[in-house]
Amino acid sequence: MSDTNGNGLRLKIGLAEMLKGGVIMDVMSAEQAEIAEKAGAVAVMALERVPAMIRADGGVARMASPKVIKEVMNTVDIPVMAKARIGHFAEAQILQELGVDYIDESEVLTPADEENHIDKHAFTTPFVCGARNLGEALRRIAEGACMIRTKGEAGTGDVIHAVKHMRQIVKEMRQLTIMTEQELYLAAKTHQAPYELVRMVAKAGKLPVPNFSAGGIATPADASLVMQLGAEAVFVGSGIFMKGSSTPLDLKDPKERAEAESRAKAIVLATAHYKDPKVLAEVSEQMTGSMKGLAVSGIAEADLLQTRGW
Amino acid sequence: MMKIGILALQGDFEAHANRIAELGAEPVFVRKTEQLDEIDGLVIPGGESSVFLNLLGDTGFEKLSAFVRTKPTFGTCAGCILLATEVENPKQKGIGALDITVRRNAYGRQIHSAILEGPTTLKGGLLEQVYIRAPRIERVGPGIEVLAERDGHPVLIRQGNLLAATFHPELSADTRVHAEFLRLVAECKK
C-alpha cells in the first residue's frame, strides 16, 4: 500500500506519541489485562507466555492464539499490542486482521526469517521493533517501524542490557550531532543505515520515532533508570505477573493478586515521576515482592534473545 | 511572557510544548499540583484518560478540578475526556467543567485512526484534524460554542475559558488552535 502523503506514518507515530511517559505491560489473560489497566498501564501486550516462561520452556515461540488476543481486546479500553515473529509477515497479517493497535516484531519469539524483517510499510497497523544500537534502530525505521524499543534481555529481570542498549543508542545519536556533512556519509556506512535517516538524526539529535525501553525492567528503580537514560516510555514483560522464573503469580490467591497489583501500580508511578526520588522511595516501599530474575552474565551466548534480528 | 503548563504525567505533552514554544509562550511541564499556582493556563494533552485519572489520584483530581474552573484550560483527546461532565464506553469519572457527553474510542481501534480536513469558524480556511483512537462528543450543553464538526458531531469546542478538541492539533503544523488558546489566556490575564 502506498502512503504518498505520509499521513499513514504520521498516524502510526502519533499513537506512539500518546503512549509516552507510560508503561506497556505483558499480559497472558483477560484477568491480568484488567489488573494492568486498573494499575494505570498505558497499553498491554497480549501474549500466551511471558518471556521468562518462553525462556524456561524452550521450544518454538510463535504468535499468541487469536483467542487470547481477542479476549484481552474485549476486556480493556487501552491499546492492545501483540507480537509477531521476526520476518513472519503472515502472522502480522493475522494480527492486523484481529485489529490489534500495535504489532511488536519481536526477538522474544523464534525468528521466521534468517535475513529479512517484515516490510512494515505494507501494513496499516503500526509496528514497534527492538534495537541494540543506532544502526539497528534506523534499519527498522527504514522498514517502517514507528516505535523503537531497546532489546535488553527479555525475561531475565536483569536491567543491565536495557541500560547498555539505551546508552549505546543515545551515545551514537550524540556523536552524529557533532559530525560534519562529509562525515555523515561514512557514519551511514559504519551504522549500515540509510544516509537520509542518519542525517535526520544528526540534525534532530533524536530518532524520528519515539524511543522506548524494554528487556529486563523489573522494579520502579529500573523504570526510573532507563527513563533518566533517555527512554520515553517503558515495556515491562515478566516483571509484574511472575513469581518464580517459570510460574506466574496465582491471581486467585488474594495475597499473590495484591502482589501483582502493587508491582504494576508502583512501576506506573515510578515511570511518570522518574525524576522524583521522593515518589520513587515511596512506591518502592509500597511494592511487595519482585521477580526473582536471572543474571544476564550467566546466560550462554547461544541462549540470548537479543542477538536475533539483523 | 505567558507561562503555559502542560500536564506531563503521561501522553504527547512534548508535541504540545513544541506548538506553545513556536507561538512565543513558555511551556512548563506540570507533574506536581503545586506547579498549578505558577501558570497562566493549562494544556491537558492526548494520552490515555484512564491513566491520567490513576496518576492524579484523589488530591490531584480535586486540585485540577479547582484549577480548570478559574484559569484557561485546553484539552485534546484524552484531555477533552478528562474535562467532560459525562464519559461513556466505559463510564468514567470526569472533572465536569465542560458540559458535554463524550464517548471514548468512538470510531474504533488504531486502524480506524484518520487525518481529515474540515471547515472551522477559526479564520484561515480548512483545518487539518488528526484523529487517533478518537472520542466523539455526543451531547453539548447550551453554553458550548462549536468551532468545528465531523459528520455532525462537534470536534472543536469552547465554553468560556475552556477549549477542547477530540483530535490532536498538537500533531499538525497548523498552530491556529493553539493560537486561539493563547488568546483566551491573554484575555484572562488582562
Side-chain angles (χ1 to χ4, degrees):
Chain A
M1 205 176 71
S2 68
D3 178 25
T4 44
N5 54 10
N7 278 355
L9 264 182
R10 287 176 63 204
L11 283 172
K12 291 171 172 180
I13 295 173
L15 179 56
E17 291 283 335
M18 300 308 146
L19 303 178
K20 281 185 177 177
V23 181
I24 301 137
M25 299 184 192
D26 279 3
V27 297
M28 295 178 281
S29 64
E31 203 179 9
Q32 290 186 348
E34 218 177 329
I35 290 177
E37 185 177 42
K38 259 197 193 142
V42 75
V44 289
M45 177 80 71
L47 296 165
E48 244 166 289
R49 294 179 292 169
V50 296
M53 292 166 83
I54 292 175
R55 191 177 280 289
D57 294 356
V60 175
R62 309 179 179 97
M63 174 188 83
S65 153
K67 195 166 163 272
V68 175
I69 296 168
K70 278 163 97 173
E71 209 179 271
V72 170
M73 284 169 63
N74 290 335
T75 305
V76 296
D77 296 292
I78 51 179
V80 175
M81 304 186 180
K83 289 184 195 291
R85 284 182 262 176
I86 289 173
H88 207 315
F89 54 86
E91 283 188 350
Q93 287 162 351
I94 293 171
L95 294 175
Q96 174 163 281
E97 180 59 32
L98 292 175
V100 302
D101 298 290
Y102 241 95
I103 298 172
D104 184 4
E105 186 182 16
S106 178
E107 71 282 2
V108 166
L109 304 182
T110 311
D113 191 316
E114 289 182 336
E115 289 176 337
N116 305 288
H117 280 250
I118 297 171
D119 170 14
K120 294 163 275 286
H121 290 294
F123 289 79
T124 311
T125 306
F127 277 75
V128 50
C129 286
R132 287 166 301 168
N133 53 51
L134 183 61
E136 200 173 0
L138 295 182
R139 287 194 293 278
R140 297 295 86 78
I141 293 169
E143 294 156 1
C146 290
M147 179 200 299
I148 291 297
R149 54 167 179 77
T150 57
K151 283 181 169 174
E153 188 57 28
T156 59
D158 186 349
V159 78
I160 187 166
H161 281 186
V163 167
K164 182 181 174 183
H165 300 158
M166 185 54 71
R167 279 196 182 275
Q168 183 72 21
I169 291 171
V170 170
K171 182 178 77 184
E172 288 173 343
M173 292 197 291
R174 204 164 46 229
Q175 287 168 342
L176 288 187
T177 63
I178 57 162
M179 285 186 185
T180 64
E181 288 280 329
Q182 284 176 334
E183 288 169 329
L184 290 179
Y185 293 103
L186 175 62
K189 183 183 163 195
T190 315
H191 289 300
Q192 297 179 48
Y195 168 73
E196 288 73 21
L197 288 175
V198 168
R199 192 157 179 272
M200 215 184 262
V201 174
K203 278 206 159 170
K206 53 189 282 206
L207 295 179
V209 305
N211 184 16
F212 292 5
S213 183
I217 295 144
T219 68
D222 288 349
S224 165
L225 178 64
V226 292
M227 290 292 285
Q228 291 190 57
L229 288 173
E232 296 176 299
V234 169
F235 284 81
V236 182
S238 316
I240 292 169
F241 295 106
M242 292 305 284
K243 184 160 59 176
S245 57
S246 58
T247 43
L249 289 163
D250 177 9
L251 299 179
K252 301 273 176 294
D253 177 340
K255 206 180 140 210
E256 294 198 5
R257 188 187 177 90
E259 188 171 333
E261 287 167 350
S262 85
R263 287 191 203 171
K265 190 141 203 194
I267 290 182
V268 167
L269 284 165
T271 305
H273 299 285
Y274 69 97
K275 280 190 286 196
D276 189 338
K278 191 167 163 261
V279 175
L280 295 170
E282 279 169 21
V283 302
S284 298
E285 189 178 342
Q286 282 156 17
M287 190 174 99
T288 49
S290 56
M291 173 189 187
K292 182 172 174 240
L294 179 69
V296 174
S297 56
I299 303 173
E301 188 75 31
D303 295 330
L304 290 176
L305 301 176
Q306 60 183 268
T307 50
R308 297 165 165 184
W310 4 95
Chain B
M1 195 194 257
M2 283 187 285
K3 263 194 173 181
I4 306 297
I6 300 161
L7 191 67
L9 293 172
Q10 192 275 312
D12 71 336
F13 43 84
E14 269 180 14
H16 273 289
N18 293 340
R19 297 290 91 76
I20 299 286
E22 278 162 25
L23 291 167
E26 186 192 348
V28 181
F29 291 128
V30 174
R31 292 192 166 91
K32 292 181 180 176
T33 49
E34 304 92 85
Q35 291 174 282
L36 291 173
D37 304 331
E38 303 155 11
I39 55 173
D40 303 313
L42 179 72
V43 176
I44 308 178
E48 286 299 324
S49 57
S50 57
V51 179
F52 294 176
L53 285 173
N54 221 295
L55 288 168
L56 282 167
D58 291 340
T59 338
F61 183 83
E62 271 161 39
K63 292 209 169 146
L64 189 63
S65 298
F67 178 91
V68 307
R69 287 173 167 86
T70 54
K71 290 254 179 88
T73 303
F74 174 28
T76 63
C77 196
C80 171
I81 295 169
L82 204 65
L83 289 170
T85 39
E86 225 176 321
V87 182
E88 281 174 353
N89 188 36
K91 289 222 175 290
Q92 179 177 295
K93 192 158 93 164
I95 284 173
L98 198 56
D99 187 10
I100 58 169
T101 302
V102 64
R103 185 173 187 80
R104 284 181 67 191
N105 300 330
Y107 299 94
R109 310 192 72 94
Q110 173 64 10
I111 40 174
H112 302 110
S113 291
I115 299 180
L116 307 173
E117 235 181 17
T120 169
T121 58
L122 295 175
K123 283 200 184 84
L126 295 178
L127 182 69
E128 183 187 75
Q129 297 155 23
V130 181
Y131 294 95
I132 295 175
R133 289 173 47 96
R136 185 166 58 213
I137 296 172
E138 306 208 310
R139 180 195 64 84
V140 289
I144 302 265
E145 182 189 349
V146 177
L147 307 179
E149 286 183 341
R150 172 181 177 182
D151 306 328
H153 290 279
V155 293
L156 179 62
I157 55 173
R158 181 169 53 209
Q159 177 196 304
N161 277 335
L162 299 176
L163 185 67
T166 58
F167 58 98
H168 296 280
E170 70 276 18
L171 296 183
S172 292
D174 188 334
T175 52
R176 277 181 288 162
V177 181
H178 284 81
E180 175 64 13
F181 177 59
L182 293 184
R183 196 185 62 76
L184 289 180
V185 177
E187 230 163 60
C188 184
K189 254 191 116 172
K190 267 183 201 164

